[in-house]
Amino acid sequence: MPLLDVRDLSVSFDTDEGKVDVVDQVNLQLDRGETLGVVGESGCGKSVTALAIMGLLPKPSGQITNGQIIFDNQDLLATELDERRNVRGRKISMIFQEPMTALNPVQRIGKQLIESLRLHRPELGKDEGHRECVRLLSQVGISEPERRLQDYPHQLSGGMRQRVMIAMALIHVPDVLIADEPTTALDVTIQAQILELISDLQEQNGMAVIFITHDLAVIAELADRVNVMYAGRVVERASVAELFSSPLHPYTQGLLNSIPKLEGIHKTQLDTIPGLVPSYDEMPSGCRFRNRCTYAKALCGNKVPILEARDGAHPVACHYWQSLLEQRA
Ligand code: SF4
């Protein structure tokens, strides 16, 4: 039984053009201690899926229209509000791409940390709370933590702000940490440090991690298994090794061809996937990738390809994956 089991999750948003389905029948399973990658371009529904799991969809425009979110045998969508709050925040925590939007710019770091701490651990006295804040900042590698507690967010670098967010997420060591593009806004060396920090904390605490990113290199580094999302649907699911050695969906192949390789013939120009992700109010019928797919045929517009594993291969949502595989062999 997975620790977190997202079943047939659909999310829609009210827009000026009417209701749009942003996440369509998504299934994700996460086991204890594992790292699950969710990869796809901006706007593919990966962050919305995470917000739905956390109960943080913007209200009233965002609504879960279908599905179940089962955490530790408990359907979070069917439980009482208090119990849901207890799980989200204590047992499932999330860190975001831009910590500046999650931190209060006019409050010192110490005050923000202590408020989160009081919310989750009201039994701690003033001195104990202060000591715990210092410990949390040290744990995430912030030097001179006593002094940093007096700083405002703008006085910290982007990497340090992200470390503060990670410290907040660890107030209660969660069973699941959802990391939504936590390194995108950082420069490369700081990115590597933050990824290493998440990995070390995961090892120390035995957390499971859902890592959401557009960056396949990050997935290769961190994840055990990957879900590739496109336009609100999961189109391929595999172990990292399988996905990189044998991608089955044309979209995944396009993503992999668009990253530089060290071995083999060096290209002067990287491949790109033609066209753009369709907007949600103009979603093509059938396969949502068909307007960008060089292999599309009539069936692709008439029938939604189902994500399923066939003939010993890993799950993929493409009508023609087998013939494409044969062509490539
Ligand atoms: Fe391309 Fe058709 Fe497969 Fe979609 S179902 S990825 S359009 S071949």
Side-chain angles (χ1 to χ4, degrees):
M1 190 81 180
L3 174 62
L4 179 68
D5 192 359
V6 176
R7 295 184 188 165
D8 298 326
L9 180 74
S10 296
V11 178
S12 71
F13 276 80
D14 292 324
T15 69
D16 293 345
E17 282 73 40
K19 215 180 243 313
V20 292
D21 297 323
V22 175
V23 169
D24 186 33
Q25 306 270 322
V26 160
N27 288 280
L28 298 174
Q29 282 80 37
L30 178 74
D31 290 327
R32 277 183 198 278
E34 83 161 337
T35 303
L36 183 71
V38 180
V39 71
E41 289 162 285
S42 299
C44 70
K46 50 195 194 312
S47 295
V48 172
T49 303
L51 292 175
I53 295 170
M54 288 302 294
L56 293 175
L57 286 173
K59 297 276 177 223
S61 60
Q63 297 123 26
I64 293 175
T65 53
N66 187 60
Q68 292 176 299
I69 298 172
I70 298 169
F71 175 78
D72 211 4
N73 286 324
Q74 193 178 19
D75 184 357
L76 296 184
L77 301 182
T79 48
E80 296 293 327
L81 191 63
D82 280 355
E83 183 50 26
R84 252 183 285 162
R85 283 204 185 119
N86 184 36
V87 170
R88 291 159 166 160
R90 278 174 179 254
K91 296 184 177 169
I92 310 178
S93 289
M94 184 165 173
I95 50 175
F96 299 88
Q97 179 180 140
E98 185 29 270
M100 215 37 193
T101 54
L103 290 169
N104 184 339
V106 296
Q107 252 183 20
R108 294 180 198 275
I109 296 299
K111 189 158 193 306
Q112 300 189 52
L113 257 179
I114 206 87
E115 276 180 4
S116 299
L117 200 59
R118 284 216 183 100
L119 200 66
H120 294 292
R121 297 173 64 186
E123 76 284 359
L124 289 184
K126 197 173 167 216
D127 290 347
E128 275 177 311
H130 180 81
R131 277 198 296 276
E132 184 59 8
C133 289
V134 171
R135 189 193 69 78
L136 282 164
L137 289 191
S138 306
Q139 189 187 6
V140 296
I142 291 185
S143 56
E144 300 182 83
E146 286 271 4
R147 184 164 77 80
R148 291 302 180 191
L149 288 174
Q150 300 305 318
D151 285 347
Y152 289 95
H154 73 270
Q155 292 175 284
L156 304 182
S157 65
M160 272 209 255
R161 286 197 289 264
Q162 194 55 280
R163 286 173 193 265
V164 170
M165 290 310 302
I166 295 172
M168 281 186 178
L170 292 178
I171 284 174
H172 262 287
V173 176
D175 292 325
V176 177
L177 177 70
I178 303 178
D180 185 5
E181 305 263 16
T183 59
T184 305
L186 306 174
D187 68 42
V188 180
T189 46
I190 308 296
Q191 265 187 28
Q193 290 171 11
I194 296 289
L195 293 182
E196 202 179 316
L197 172 66
I198 294 174
S199 210
D200 288 349
L201 292 170
Q202 180 179 23
E203 211 162 283
Q204 287 161 24
N205 301 316
M207 300 179 297
V209 174
I210 299 181
F211 211 98
I212 295 173
T213 181
H214 63 279
D215 188 343
L216 277 166
V218 169
I219 293 288
E221 181 102 350
L222 283 187
D224 302 307
R225 291 185 302 122
V226 197
N227 285 267
V228 180
M229 282 189 78
Y230 184 80
R233 292 178 181 155
V234 176
V235 296
E236 186 160 2
R237 175 180 300 137
S239 68
V240 167
E242 247 180 297
L243 192 91
F244 278 78
S245 63
S246 181
L248 299 179
H249 197 282
Y251 176 61
T252 314
Q253 289 162 16
L255 284 180
L256 286 168
N257 288 339
S258 64
I259 53 175
K261 292 180 183 60
L262 288 175
E263 75 284 1
I265 302 163
H266 292 278
K267 296 177 180 175
T268 50
Q269 218 177 345
L270 291 171
D271 294 338
T272 53
I273 301 170
L276 296 170
V277 182
S279 64
Y280 280 98
D281 54 337
E282 288 174 350
M283 213 40 94
S285 60
C287 175
R288 291 182 168 182
F289 187 58
R290 75 183 159 89
N291 292 352
R292 302 175 77 188
C293 182
T294 41
Y295 310 105
K297 299 187 175 117
L299 175 67
C300 306
N302 298 333
K303 193 174 166 200
V304 176
I306 305 297
L307 180 75
E308 56 185 354
R310 278 158 292 174
D311 302 325
H314 58 258
V316 60
C318 172
H319 296 308
Y320 297 107
W321 68 274
Q322 234 161 352
S323 53
L324 299 178
L325 196 62
E326 282 159 17
Q327 274 175 37
R328 281 193 291 141

